[in-house]
Amino acid sequence: MLIDTYGRVATDLRVSLTDRCNLRCAYCMPEEGLQWLSKSTLLTDDEIVRLIRIAVTRLGITEVRFTGGEPLLRPGLVGIVDRVARLERRPQMSLTTNGIGLGRTAKALKEAGLDRVNVSLDTLRPDAFKTLTRRDRHHDVLAGLEAARAAGLEPVKVNTVLMPGLNDDEAPELLAWAIENDYELRFIEQMPLDAQHGWKREGMITAGDILQSLRTRFELTPEGADERGSAPAERWIVDDGPHRVGVIASVTRPFCAACDRTRLTADGQVRTCLFATEETDLRGALRSDASDEEIARIWKLAMWGKKAGSGLDDPAFLQPERPMSAIGG
């Protein structure tokens, strides 16, 4: 069991498969990209599967989310999913993706054992998409969403970040589109995870702003704390249902007290929090022929030291040195 000193138990593992991405989203990385991790430092497919097996069979993990960077850029992704699906205690598996490439991989991922996907899409306007991501791939994301739904990777969730002056007027339109296409929309407050350190608390689009905008067109009824559990998104029933919309307010409404997540970076480091500045090395143990028991012990010690909160509610919060693409969302 992965338990910390505050009594929280981690059952949800987020696995970053690569730091690379084929978009250059303004809130994530600079236009010229980043210095990618060298291949030798990345975990191999066998190492990833072994760590997931240890987490599932020895540490109580019941859910695995594959992230990046962009996980669809990992050549061995389908094989990793297939091998994890064959574990004796099969975890629920999901994937967070920008949707590019999902059109040609959704069916194979479903057949391998993937349960569902979260697709990032911040705008319905191709021109705004190009400005936000610095790439002209809006049509590919829409095709990926359709392919995911056709393959049965449901519920298909859409993650949206609103940026001042770019897409902050689109919230009602995005929700109407999601309802029409039977996607579950989740707005995410912009977080300080950009490599260029351009994030500012002042002027960011908050959960309150998002809800105020949505209520100009929809009636929203809170789903309630019992339904939410440890999920990061607060959810609202839209116009008496059955559709729902979520808001992940990591900055203005931290949910650290209910956190059930542990994170594995693409280069084999344990992170107890997305915003943590410390990491615990598992890659070194793997490559030193450590036993499963020893690796589990190191992981347990890392989680035991998890802090009470993310620090985002502190006005003096300092952004972590590692960008989102290296950590995994």
Side-chain angles (χ1 to χ4, degrees):
M1 180 183 295
L2 292 172
I3 188 169
D4 64 32
T5 54
Y6 299 92
R8 297 169 296 192
V9 177
T11 57
D12 184 338
L13 170 61
R14 308 295 172 96
V15 182
S16 175
L17 297 179
T18 179
D19 60 326
R20 296 173 184 262
C21 189
N22 42 12
L23 297 181
R24 296 292 181 268
C25 297
Y27 49 77
C28 183
M29 68 173 72
E31 185 172 4
E32 64 273 15
L34 298 166
Q35 171 112 25
W36 306 124
L37 296 169
S38 65
K39 186 175 181 179
S40 64
T41 64
L42 293 173
L43 294 177
T44 66
D45 293 0
D46 287 344
E47 289 170 335
I48 289 170
V49 173
R50 184 184 175 194
L51 287 176
I52 294 174
R53 176 176 56 77
I54 292 170
V56 169
T57 62
R58 295 177 180 270
L59 299 173
I61 291 298
T62 59
E63 297 181 44
V64 175
R65 171 83 63 85
F66 297 108
T67 70
E70 173 46 52
L72 292 180
L73 295 180
R74 178 87 185 201
L77 172 60
V78 173
I80 291 171
V81 171
D82 178 70
R83 292 169 66 183
V84 173
R86 296 174 188 273
L87 292 177
E88 186 176 342
R89 298 180 183 176
R90 182 198 187 283
Q92 287 288 305
M93 287 186 289
S94 58
L95 177 82
T96 295
T97 172
N98 62 29
I100 296 173
L102 193 56
R104 61 178 179 271
T105 56
K107 184 178 179 181
L109 287 167
K110 178 64 176 180
E111 291 174 349
L114 192 70
D115 295 299
R116 62 174 187 81
V117 293
N118 287 31
V119 178
S120 298
L121 179 64
D122 300 321
T123 176
L124 297 177
R125 302 192 294 252
D127 57 334
F129 181 92
K130 188 174 181 179
T131 299
L132 279 164
T133 67
R134 306 180 178 107
R135 297 291 186 271
D136 189 12
R137 305 297 297 273
H138 190 259
H139 56 289
D140 291 318
V141 181
L142 295 180
L145 281 162
E146 292 173 4
R149 184 178 56 196
L153 292 168
E154 298 175 309
V156 177
K157 296 184 179 180
V158 177
N159 294 341
T160 296
V161 176
L162 296 181
M163 301 282 288
L166 289 173
N167 62 340
D168 52 344
D169 60 336
E170 283 195 74
E173 184 181 359
L174 280 159
L175 181 52
W177 166 82
I179 289 172
E180 180 182 353
N181 289 279
D182 202 25
Y183 302 140
E184 184 175 324
L185 182 62
R186 305 191 314 170
F187 291 97
I188 303 176
E189 287 183 338
Q190 184 195 359
M191 294 178 283
L193 292 168
D194 56 319
Q196 62 269 38
H197 301 317
W199 179 85
K200 290 182 174 59
R201 186 182 299 265
E202 302 79 18
M204 64 170 284
I205 309 300
T206 67
D209 297 330
I210 294 165
L211 293 170
Q212 183 178 4
S213 178
L214 291 176
R215 286 186 169 118
T216 63
R217 183 166 173 180
F218 301 96
E219 180 182 342
L220 303 180
T221 306
E223 187 176 57
D226 291 340
E227 292 287 340
R228 180 181 184 183
S230 60
E234 293 181 77
R235 297 204 306 176
W236 282 262
I237 301 168
V238 181
D239 291 344
D240 296 324
H243 296 284
R244 285 161 170 73
V245 63
V247 178
I248 299 178
S250 300
V251 178
T252 62
R253 303 181 188 180
F255 40 86
C256 302
C259 181
D260 65 349
R261 287 169 288 289
T262 183
R263 299 175 182 275
L264 185 64
T265 67
D267 55 350
Q269 311 299 306
V270 170
R271 279 201 161 218
T272 59
C273 174
L274 183 60
F275 305 101
T277 55
E278 304 88 17
E279 298 175 335
T280 300
D281 181 30
L282 292 186
R283 185 189 65 210
L286 279 171
R287 296 181 181 178
S288 299
D289 297 322
S291 66
D292 288 359
E293 291 82 358
E294 176 61 13
I295 291 171
R297 185 190 69 82
I298 295 171
W299 207 330
K300 287 179 181 179
L301 283 175
M303 293 304 295
W304 185 250
K306 184 173 182 172
K307 295 180 180 179
S310 65
L312 281 179
D313 51 351
D314 181 354
F317 176 78
L318 297 176
Q319 300 166 31
E321 290 303 313
R322 293 241 269 171
M324 181 187 290
S325 60
I327 299 167

